[in-house]
Amino acid sequence: MAVAPAVHGRVAPGYEPVREEFARNLRDRDDLGAAFAVFRDGDLVVDLWGGTADAATAAPWQRDTLQLIFSGSKGIVVTALMVLVDRGLVGLDTPVAHYWPEFAQAGKAAVTVREVLTFTARLPGLRQKVTQDDIHDPELMAKFIAAQEQESDPRADGIMYGPFSQGWIVAELVRRVDGRPLDEFFAAEIARPHDLDIHFGARSADLHRVAHTEYGSGFLAQFTGFFTSDDPLTQRVWQNPMPFPPDAGVWSDPRRLTSLIPAISALGTARSFARLYGMLALDAVRPLGDAPLVLSRRLLDDARMPRVTRTDQLIGVPMVYGGGGYRLRTEARPGPDGIAFGHDGGGGSANQAWPRARAGVSYVMNRLIALGPDDKRAGSLLKATAAVL
């Protein structure tokens, strides 16, 4: 009889059902290794980890194990840019070319920062053919985007999500306005001041802490139609390059792990992601004019206000984005998590701010599973947490 993986960490009194769901994920729901954390009113009330960080060596998940959150990185990317917006150095409705003149090429002079953040800029992918190695160079990717025209395909009307391009544009904006690359800016302005173990690309000294990501049941199969399509638009967005290459070993390659690929390369502990989003949740409900922890209430009112509510015509997914690029629920609902903001990540991770509960939550894991009813891991934890709150 198999021994259930041990659950490590602690929960505050009353949060025992959350621990039970976390243990059930490891035992019954195909989790390999994972961590889950909740901050409420600035206090760490859930801090759990368990399972295996590396299936090849059976190395256990530790308290300080780092995990990639893939597209969950987009929520961290926009938070970094919002710091510059809050300081009056970037305007959401200002053309990108105001800060980055080369971006005006090929008729893009009027494209605004907000359009980029909300996936309405008609720039979901690259026209220049690139490889998996090429995307390790964010400045080269920015040059390619600056030179290309917007999509003319009518399916790009309204909203069109892309796995990479938003991150490259935002990273170049940060570099043009501040002078530092995104990873250095985030470390200096957000991570270090708040003692957050979050990084855009791992430091070489931390590679031993990074969990080895693997593809689980049905994960790659869900992308087959996009990764094999002969439709030119689909090829530009989902095959140039594939966001999830067939060999999951790429996610253990030191070059990939240490590179700045803004939209997918944020990695950290659940504890730190939850703390960041917990601070944002507190900032979102503090009185107007009060000093924020990270971002002002005035800016967050705009950044998390629904701005775009459309179905992506390429992938058929309904999406709602706030004015600052945070992903929102498709419909607000009653309850502590009803007006959550943040960004989910491919394979199952969840990183959110819950303003009504003054809480931040984070679930990270190293086995990626297909989106849908078969993956109940994050949902079970979030539901149990909401029930407690």
Side-chain angles (χ1 to χ4, degrees), residues 135-386:
I135 66 172
H136 297 143
D137 185 344
E139 291 181 32
L140 177 62
M141 298 302 100
K143 289 179 182 178
F144 290 154
I145 291 174
Q148 75 180 43
E149 65 271 27
Q150 294 168 272
E151 290 291 348
S152 59
D153 190 305
R155 290 174 293 175
D157 286 342
I159 191 169
M160 183 155 285
Y161 178 87
F164 296 112
S165 57
Q166 182 219 47
W168 287 322
I169 297 170
V170 172
E172 186 65 11
L173 271 172
V174 170
R175 193 178 74 85
R176 295 286 178 132
V177 172
D178 178 76
R180 289 171 288 184
L182 175 67
D183 53 346
E184 293 181 16
F185 177 84
F186 178 81
E189 302 296 334
I190 299 178
R192 285 200 295 270
H194 297 290
D195 195 25
L196 300 175
D197 197 1
I198 299 174
H199 316 271
F200 278 102
R203 298 170 296 195
S204 295
D206 288 332
L207 284 172
H208 69 284
R209 294 202 286 137
V210 180
H212 286 231
T213 296
E214 66 172 50
Y215 300 149
S217 175
F219 180 71
L220 284 182
Q222 69 183 326
F223 298 109
T224 298
F226 304 116
F227 292 174
T228 62
S229 174
D230 59 4
D231 170 59
L233 178 59
T234 303
Q235 290 177 337
R236 287 192 291 273
V237 178
W238 292 102
Q239 298 175 29
N240 192 30
M242 293 180 185
F244 294 103
D247 181 4
V250 68
W251 305 113
S252 300
D253 181 335
R255 187 182 181 200
R256 173 58 58 96
L257 289 174
T258 56
S259 292
L260 171 59
I261 310 173
I264 65 167
S265 69
L267 74 172
T269 64
R271 188 180 310 105
S272 286
F273 289 125
R275 184 175 185 187
L276 175 59
Y277 277 112
M279 291 189 291
L280 291 172
L282 290 171
D283 284 344
V285 296
R286 71 179 64 255
L288 284 166
D290 277 13
L293 293 167
V294 183
L295 299 175
S296 70
R297 163 73 186 276
R298 173 194 56 79
L299 176 58
L300 281 171
D301 282 351
D302 183 4
R304 65 190 187 90
M305 177 70 66
R307 185 83 177 195
V308 179
T309 303
R310 298 289 292 269
T311 295
D312 183 311
Q313 295 185 60
L314 200 59
I315 59 177
V317 175
M319 295 183 171
V320 181
Y321 277 92
Y326 291 112
R327 193 163 183 179
L328 313 177
R329 293 194 175 282
T330 51
E331 291 185 8
R333 66 187 189 194
D337 60 340
I339 53 171
F341 66 96
H343 210 288
D344 50 341
S349 66
N351 300 278
Q352 302 173 358
W354 292 3
R356 285 178 182 160
R358 305 175 305 283
V361 300
S362 173
Y363 166 70
V364 302
M365 74 295 135
N366 62 346
R367 176 173 285 160
L368 311 187
I369 296 179
L371 177 70
D374 290 338
D375 187 6
K376 298 180 172 64
R377 298 171 299 170
S380 68
L381 292 166
L382 299 179
K383 288 176 184 176
T385 301

Side-chain angles (χ1 to χ4, degrees), residues 32-33 50-55 57-62 65 209-213 366:
L32 177 62
T52 303
D54 183 351
T57 65
W61 196 288
Q62 305 284 0
T65 294
R209 294 202 286 137
V210 180
H212 286 231
T213 296
N366 62 346

